[in-house]
Amino acid sequence: MTPDDPGRVAPKPGATIVLVVPVYNEDQGLCALRDRIVAVMDRIPYDWSCILVDDGSRDASWSVIESFVAADARFKGIMFSRNFGKEMALTAGVEAALGADAVICLDADLQHPPEIIPQLIAKWEEGYDIVATIREKVADYSLVKKIGSKTFYWFMCRFTDLDLPPNSTDFRLLDRKVMETLSKFTEGSRMFRGIIDWMGFKKTYIAFCAPARSQGKPAYPVKKLFNLAINSFTSFSLVPLRLAGYLGLIIMAVTLPLLCGMVLGNWFLAANITPIAFFTVFNTLLIGIVLCALGMMSLYIGHIHTEVANRPLYIIRSRAGAWDAPPVTAAPPRP
C-alpha cells in the first residue's frame, strides 16, 4: 500500500492508528498474531501501536503480552482484575486509545485476518468514519452457531432500530470522532458493535472469509453467545415488552370465544362441561399471561438495576508499556 495510489486520499502527516485486541486464554496463538500484525502494519504510512487487553485470562496470556511490550514499544498491555467480557475489553481498549486518529478492533484468534487492515484503512482514507466487516463464511462454525446467528440477526434487523447487517463483526475501524462519542456511553449491559451501529456516522462494509481458529478453544461458547444475544436484544428493542401485551390480547381473543362456546354448549347442547374444566382452562391461560409478562419485564428490570448500581464498567489490575496518561484502576465514573 502506498500513499500515492490512484483514488486514494494522502495520509495525514503524523496520523496514528491503534489496534485493540481483546485477549482471553490465547497464549498459544499470540505470537502468530503479533508477527502478522507487525508484517501488515509496518507497510502502512502511519504511526501505529497495539493495545492487548487481557480479559482475566487463566493461562499465560499476560506473560506473553509483557514479553511483547518488552521487545517492542509499539505494543501495550492492559490486564483486567477478572473476566469482564469481550464487550468491556473492547471498550477499555478504545478508551485507552483516545487521542489516536483511528482505532481498529480485531480478535486475537486470527479469525479476523490482519491482512484485511489495509482495506479498512483505504476506506477510511476515502472519508468513511466507520469501516466494518461482514463474514461471508466461517471455517469452523457449528450448525448450532449458524442457526443461532441467523436467528439473532433476523430478530435484530426486524425488531430494533439498528442497521445491523447479518454476519457483521467487531472487526472494524473507527475514526477519532466515533471513538470520542463512544466514550460517552455509560450502559453496563452493552453490545459493542450495536452501540456503534446505533450512532450512525458515515459507514461502509468490507466482506471477508473467516478462517478457522489458529489455536485453542473458542472464548465465546454457545452459552455466552446466547447471553450476549439476549442482552443485545433487550438493550435495543422494546418488542419483548410489547409482545407480552400482544400475547395477552391474543390469549384473551382465543379464551373469550372458547369460554363462551363452553357456556353455550353446556346450556343448550347438554355438553355437560364441569365447572373444574372452566376453571382449569381460564386459570391456566391467566397464569401463562402473567408468567410471560413477568419474564419479559424482569429482563428490563435487570438492565435498570445494572445501570442504577453505577459500577465501573471494568477494573484494571495492571498495565504494561509506555502510557502517556497516568495509570488508572477503573473505568471513568458514570454520571
Side-chain angles (χ1 to χ4, degrees):
M1 182 178 71
T2 59
D4 55 349
D5 286 346
R8 295 278 299 281
V9 178
K12 303 174 184 177
T16 58
I17 295 177
V18 178
L19 276 61
V20 172
V21 184
V23 176
Y24 182 67
N25 296 338
E26 298 284 358
D27 60 348
Q28 298 178 16
L30 285 178
C31 289
L33 173 70
R34 176 202 57 188
D35 293 343
R36 288 173 62 175
I37 285 177
V38 171
V40 170
M41 298 303 294
D42 278 348
R43 297 199 300 267
I44 69 170
Y46 296 99
D47 295 329
W48 67 273
S49 62
C50 179
I51 300 175
L52 298 159
V53 184
D54 185 354
D55 185 23
S57 297
R58 299 180 180 178
D59 59 5
S61 293
W62 182 246
S63 297
V64 176
I65 292 172
E66 287 184 314
S67 70
F68 292 173
V69 173
D72 190 336
R74 294 174 297 186
F75 285 86
K76 303 176 184 180
I78 293 175
M79 179 172 62
F80 282 173
S81 61
R82 64 170 178 83
N83 177 244
F84 284 90
K86 180 183 176 182
E87 310 304 306
M88 296 309 172
L90 288 169
T91 300
V94 171
E95 290 181 348
L98 287 175
D101 292 281
V103 65
I104 298 174
C105 304
L106 69 159
D107 288 351
D109 56 11
L110 291 176
Q111 289 191 300
H112 294 166
E115 290 75 16
I116 304 295
I117 290 176
Q119 298 180 42
L120 304 182
I121 295 175
K123 290 296 183 181
W124 175 57
E125 290 174 348
E126 291 176 9
Y128 290 99
D129 300 315
I130 301 172
V131 186
T133 60
I134 297 177
R135 287 188 303 257
E136 289 187 330
K137 183 175 64 174
V138 184
D140 58 354
Y141 245 32
S142 66
L143 179 61
V144 173
K145 286 188 176 181
K146 288 179 180 179
I147 295 174
S149 177
K150 288 182 180 295
T151 303
F152 169 74
Y153 283 107
W154 187 87
F155 273 98
M156 292 297 288
C157 290
R158 284 161 178 76
F159 300 114
T160 71
D161 56 355
L162 293 180
D163 178 18
L164 193 64
N167 299 320
S168 61
T169 74
D170 291 317
F171 186 20
R172 54 185 59 198
L173 180 148
L174 309 178
D175 185 75
R176 179 200 292 262
K177 63 176 70 73
V178 181
M179 298 163 57
E180 293 173 348
T181 303
L182 179 64
S183 67
K184 300 176 183 178
F185 284 73
T186 61
E187 58 258 46
S189 299
R190 61 175 56 196
M191 178 189 182
F192 185 81
R193 64 179 179 271
I195 292 176
I196 293 172
D197 289 333
W198 179 87
M199 291 182 195
F201 289 105
K202 188 177 181 181
K203 179 170 54 179
T204 189
Y205 294 92
I206 292 175
F208 76 102
C209 294
R213 285 180 57 88
S214 58
Q215 300 285 343
K217 298 180 180 180
Y220 254 73
V222 174
K223 180 180 178 181
K224 280 191 174 182
L225 289 172
F226 179 77
N227 290 336
L228 175 62
I230 293 296
N231 285 335
S232 302
F233 190 60
T234 55
S235 294
F236 290 99
S237 176
L238 294 177
V239 168
L241 287 178
R242 294 171 182 165
L243 285 178
Y246 297 154
L247 180 60
L249 292 175
I250 293 172
I251 292 176
M252 289 176 62
V254 173
T255 303
L256 186 58
L258 177 61
L259 289 176
C260 290
M262 291 172 68
V263 171
L264 293 175
N266 201 38
W267 285 356
F268 300 106
L269 301 178
N272 196 27
I273 301 174
T274 63
I276 191 65
F278 285 100
F279 177 79
T280 301
V281 172
F282 184 70
N283 192 53
T284 301
L285 293 177
L286 285 181
I287 290 174
I289 294 173
V290 172
L291 289 179
C292 181
L294 288 177
M296 291 298 100
M297 291 174 63
S298 66
L299 295 175
Y300 289 91
I301 293 173
H303 284 302
I304 294 172
H305 169 74
T306 300
E307 301 306 322
V308 171
N310 200 30
R311 295 171 183 155
L313 299 180
Y314 52 84
I315 299 175
I316 296 175
R317 178 183 177 188
S318 180
R319 289 177 180 246
W323 296 88
D324 295 332
V328 297
T329 58
R334 296 181 281 166

